[in-house]
Amino acid sequence: MPKILLVEDNEMNRDMLSRRLEKRGYTLAIAVDGGAGVAMAKSESPDLILMDMSLPVLDGWDATRQVKADPATKGIPIIALTAHAMESDRQKALEAGCDDFDTKPVELNRLLLKIEELLKKFPPKA
């Protein structure tokens, strides 16, 4: 199954999302801040990243820019997760390099559709 890197600083959100995605058969790697997320994008080679945008150490926008600027990780699709639901927030996430955008609280079926669409567009490595 595809590996997802979840970059989320909120323990409750991290626990809820990771358990639900693992039940769906995804393998999870977890980072608790943007700096760790950038490092784990390289070390874990995930098939997709779920990136919280309000993170300590390095926010999700800058973490996304760093992942997309690195030739080793630039092809990994990223879905921004944020409680900021304005169109300007979506645009800001896309301009940072995110491939899609979803709002919190997470509606799992909607997020799963976005994950599946991106994994079809960017198939996991064999």
Side-chain angles (χ1 to χ4, degrees):
M1 278 306 272
K3 180 189 281 186
I4 295 175
L5 172 60
L6 174 61
V7 186
E8 172 63 69
D9 65 325
N10 181 289
E11 184 177 353
M12 190 168 61
N13 290 340
R14 200 170 52 234
D15 182 55
M16 180 273 300
L17 252 181
S18 63
R19 283 189 291 121
R20 289 182 173 177
L21 292 170
E22 285 172 340
K23 281 184 181 176
R24 303 288 175 141
Y26 292 103
T27 300
L28 267 289
I30 296 173
V32 297
D33 63 61
V38 171
M40 290 179 73
K42 269 187 162 180
S43 67
E44 295 290 326
S45 298
D47 299 303
L48 184 138
I49 298 172
L50 296 175
M51 181 75 75
D52 181 20
M53 303 315 280
S54 299
L55 293 166
V57 180
L58 184 68
D59 67 38
W61 294 277
D62 285 335
T64 296
R65 287 185 193 98
Q66 289 187 21
V67 168
K68 293 296 188 174
D70 187 326
T73 57
K74 71 179 182 184
I76 302 171
I78 299 175
I79 297 175
L81 294 179
T82 179
H84 304 285
M86 302 292 289
E87 178 56 27
S88 60
D89 298 310
R90 180 182 188 281
Q91 197 58 42
K92 184 178 176 185
L94 296 177
E95 287 171 4
C98 292
D99 299 279
D100 208 336
F101 175 89
D102 205 38
T103 56
K104 294 180 183 176
V106 169
E107 198 281 292
L108 188 61
N109 288 332
R110 183 182 64 212
L111 180 60
L112 288 170
L113 286 174
K114 291 181 178 190
I115 290 170
E116 290 168 15
E117 285 177 18
L118 281 176
L119 290 175
K120 284 180 191 168
K121 189 174 177 182
F122 302 93
K125 299 166 287 301

